[in-house]
Amino acid sequence: MAVRRADMDPADDELREWIDSIESVLENEGPERAKTLFRAVRDYLSNAHVIIEDATLNTPYRNTIPLEQQPAYPGDIDIEQRIENINRWNAMAMVLRGYDSGTGVGGHIGTYASSATMLEVGLQHFFRNKGPDYGGDLVSIQAHCSPGIYARALLEGRLSVQQLMNFRRELAPGGGLSSYPHPRNMPTFWVSPCASMGLSTPSCIYQARFAKYLENRGLKPKNGGKVWNFIGDGEADEPEVLGTINIAAREGLDNLIMVVNCNLQRLDGPVRGNGKIIQELERSFRGANWNVIKVIWSGEWDALFAIDHEGVLQARMERAVDGDYQMYSVSSGPEVRAHWVENDPRLADIMRVRSDEEIRCIKRGGHDQRKIYAAFKRATQSEGRPTVILIKTIKGYGMQGYEGSNLVHQKKNLALDERQETARRLGIPLSGEAAARADFYCPPADSEEIRYLHARRTELGGPWPERQVNCPALPTPPLALFQEQLNGSGERALSTTMAFVRMLSKLMDQPELGRYIVPIVPDEARTFGMEALFRKAGIYSSEGQKYRPVDSSTLMPYREATDGQILQEGICEAGALASFLAAGTAYAIHGVPTIPFYIFYSIFGFQRVGDMIWSCGDMLCRGFLLGGTSGRTTLNGEGLQHQDGHSQIIASTVPNLLSYDPAFASELAVIIREGIHRMYELQESVFYYITIHNENYAMPRMVDGAAQGIIRGMYRFRVAKPVANKQRKAHLFGSGAIMTEVLRAQTLLETLGVSADVWSVTSYNELCREGLRVERQNHLAPGSKPARPYVAELLAAEQGVFVAASDYMKSLPLSIARWVPGPYVVLGTDGFGLSESRATLRNWFEVSAEYIAWAALTALYDTGAASHIELSAAASALGIHQHKPDPACAGPAILR
Ligand SMILES: Cc1ncc(C[n+]2csc(CCOP(=O)(O)OP(=O)(O)O)c2C)c(N)n1
Ligand SMILES: [Mg+2]
C-alpha cells in the first residue's frame, strides 16, 4: 500500500520522519539512491524473516509515466482524431447496416469504441511492416474490433463500400467480410486468428520467442520486429493468458508488447466490480517479471494531480472499485462529484476547479493519444523484458446513452435520433437522413485526412493488416532417403515411433532441408526415444547452458544451446502447440520455411489443445503433428487418461488437416515425404496429423506400387491363400498397431478354412473425405457415368465379407461403410481406457485377432457361408465371451 500524507496518522511522528528522510533522498540524490536504500531495508527485514507480502507488486492507481516524462506527440492530433472519428462512425455503420438489413447477422460496436484510440495511435505511429531493414510487426487485435479495422481499410481504398455493407456476409454478391480475423477466409488481409478468446496470448508469446529462435539459429536477420498482442480485460480470465506469461519473461522477450484494453467490462457486466482489474493484472505481470505500464488517466487529470499535494485525490482513486468507475461512466456530473468527494472538503476543493460537465467528460487514459503514445513508445524501448500496457477505457466510448452500460457489448442498433446525434458528435458531414440510414462516410482522396493516413502508413512500410506470402519452396527429398524404412526391418522388432525418430534424424542431416526442421517436444523426448537428438541438435535455450549437465560424460547429455534446434517445451501442451503454430506459419510471417514436427502423447493433443489445433487450420499453418504412444489398447497399462481412442476422430473435424494412422515404417516414410512435398515444395496450406505407436514388431518391406494407396488411405497389404470354398472369403482392414492383430487373424481364419485378404487402411479420414467429395460431385452434376470414390473402386471386384479393426472408436472405420461392397463389421475401441496389459485390453475392446476372426466368421454365417456348429466350435477355440459386458459403457467395476 502506498504511503501518502493523506493516509498518514498525524500523530505518528516516527512514520513521518521516515517518509521525510526518504523524500529528502529522492529530492537530493535521485531515485536510484532511494531504490538502493529501500532495497537494503527490505533485504534486512527479509533476513530477519520479516516478509513483506505485498512488497512492490502494486504501484499507485495512476499512470506509470508521469507528465514530466511524457514525450512530445509526433503526429497531428487533430487530423488523427478526425480519422479516428470517421473510423468510429463507419465501424458502427457496418453493424447498423447489418441490423437494418434484417439478416440478423449481428456485429459488435462497444469493443472497438473502447479501443479505437489505442489502435489508431498504433497504426499512425508504431505498427511497422516487414521491409528490407526491418523484420516486421505482428499485431493481433481483439477479435471484436474487426469492424474498426475494416473501416480503416475502406479509407485506405483497400476495401469497398460493398464489402463493408457485406460485413459478416462472406458469400454475398460483391464479396463480404468475415466477422473476425480469419486468415483462412481472408488470406491476403488477416494474419492471425483471435476469435477464440485467450489463445492469442500464448500464440503471440511463442511467435515472439520463435522470432528469437530463428535469429539465434541464423535463419532470420536480427533486424527487429515486435509482436503486439491486444486483448480484453475479461479475456485475461482465460487460463491460457496468465498461464503462459512466465515464459515470456524467462525468455526475455523484449520484442513482445501486450496491451490489455481495460474497459472494466466483459459481456455480461463488470470484470471485477468489487476490485480493480488493472491492479490485479499489474500484480500478476509484475510478479512474473514483466515491465508494466499503466495508462489510467487522461491529460485533463494532470492539472488536478498537480494540486493534490497531500495525495487525497490519489487516495480516493485507490478506494474506488471498478464497479464505482463503471457507475461514473453512466452518471451525471453532479452525481459523480458527490460520490467522488464523499463529504471530504479537501477533495471538494480539488474538484472545484472543474465544472460538473467537465467532470462528467473527463477522460480515461485510453482515450488520450498522448498518454497512449507515451506508453507505446516506452514499451518499444524495453530491453530484456516483455511489456504489458494496461489501458483504462470506457466500453462503448462515444455511444451516446450506452457508454459503460452492461448491455453495451450486445448493442447492435441505435435509434434514428441516436445515430444522428452520434454522427454530429463525431463531426461526420452526413445529412440527417444519411446518418439515420447509417451511410458510410469516406472523405475524398485528396482530403487532408486521406493524404495524412497514406503518408503515415507509407512511412511505416505499407497498409496493415496485410498477409503476404513470400517464401522459397524447398526441394522434396527423394523417397530413397528413407530406404531403410522402405526395406523393412527384417526380423528386428521396432515401433513406428522408433522409425519416425530415425527418419527425423535423417531429415535433420539433409544439406538443404535439415536446418529448417524444428523438432518440438513437451516433456516427453525420452518417452519417444529422442534423447540422442539432444547432443546432435541441441535444445534451444536463449541463455545457452550455464551449468555442466549431470550426464555430461554420457553419450547423450542434456545439451542446451543458443543455437539449439529442438524446442523442449516443458509440460505445457498449449505452449508447445503455440510453438508449432509459430514454426508452421513462419513461411508467411518471416518468409522462412521451417518444418515443425511436434511429437506428443496423442491424448494430450486434440483432447487438450484442440482449439489451438483448429486455430492452426485457420492460420494456414503447415507441419507435422505426431500423436505418439497412440491408441486405446497399444499404450499398455497407462489407463483412462492416457489411452487415446479418439484423436483420429477429432482430427477429421479440421478441414485442412490430413490424418493418418500408419501401421508400418514404410507407410510412415511415404506419408512424411508426401507431406513435405505438398507443404514445402508445392506450398499447399495443409498440415498433417500422424499417429505413431510404441509397440515393437517386425516392419515389412513396402509392398511394390503401394505408395499411391498409402497416400490415398488404403491398399491391399497381403493376399490370402485361396481356399476350396470360394464363398468363404473375407477382407480384413487393419491400421496402426492393430495391424498385428489383423495379420494374426488372417492366420487364424486360414486354419478355419477362410481365405482373408489383409488391407492396410492408413487413413479412414482421407478415404471418407474423398468419397464424400466424389459423391457430392455426382449428386450436384449427375453425368452419364458417375465417378466412383477411391475406396469403392479399390474394393469393387471383391467378394465376401469385410471386417475393419481399429484402435480408435468404431465411428472411424464406419465412416467408409457406404462404399464397402458387402457385409461390413466394424471393431473399435469405444469407451474409456483402463489399466491393463495390451493383450487383455485388446480382448476387452474386442479388437484382438480372436475377435477379428470371430467377426469374420459370424459375418460369413450371416451370408450362409458358415454353419452354426462351426460357429460354436470357433467360439470356444478362439475364447470368445459371448456375454461379456459392452466396453463402450462399462468399466472394470462391472467385472467385480
Ligand atoms: C473462448 C471464448 N469464450 C467466449 C467468447 C464469447 N465472447 C466474445 S466477446 C466476450 C466478452 C469480451 O470481454 P473483454 O475481453 O473484456 O473484451 P471487451 O469487449 O470488453 O473489450 C465474450 C465472452 C469467445 N469469443 N471466446
Ligand atoms: Mg472488457
Side-chain angles (χ1 to χ4, degrees), residues 111 142 144 195 197 232-235 238 263 265-266 395 409:
T111 305
Q142 286 179 268
H144 297 71
M197 309 196 91
D233 47 359
E235 184 172 4
E238 290 284 5
N263 53 27
Q265 289 177 247
R266 47 191 174 203
K395 190 149 179 169
H409 189 89

Side-chain angles (χ1 to χ4, degrees), residues 501-521:
V501 176
R502 295 276 298 177
M503 290 165 61
L504 184 65
S505 181
K506 267 263 161 70
L507 284 169
M508 289 165 83
D509 289 339
Q510 280 291 288
E512 258 187 88
L513 204 77
R515 64 202 182 115
Y516 293 115
I517 306 288
V518 182
I520 305 171
V521 277

Side-chain angles (χ1 to χ4, degrees), residues 567-609:
L567 290 173
Q568 152 58 276
E569 302 293 5
I571 313 169
C572 180
E573 282 77 13
L577 215 287
S579 270
F580 176 78
L581 182 57
T585 53
Y587 73 94
I589 301 212
H590 303 288
V592 181
T594 37
I595 311 177
F597 285 87
Y598 170 37
I599 173 163
F600 50 95
Y601 247 119
S602 75
I603 196 133
F604 302 129
F606 287 87
Q607 170 128 327
R608 179 87 189 201
V609 285

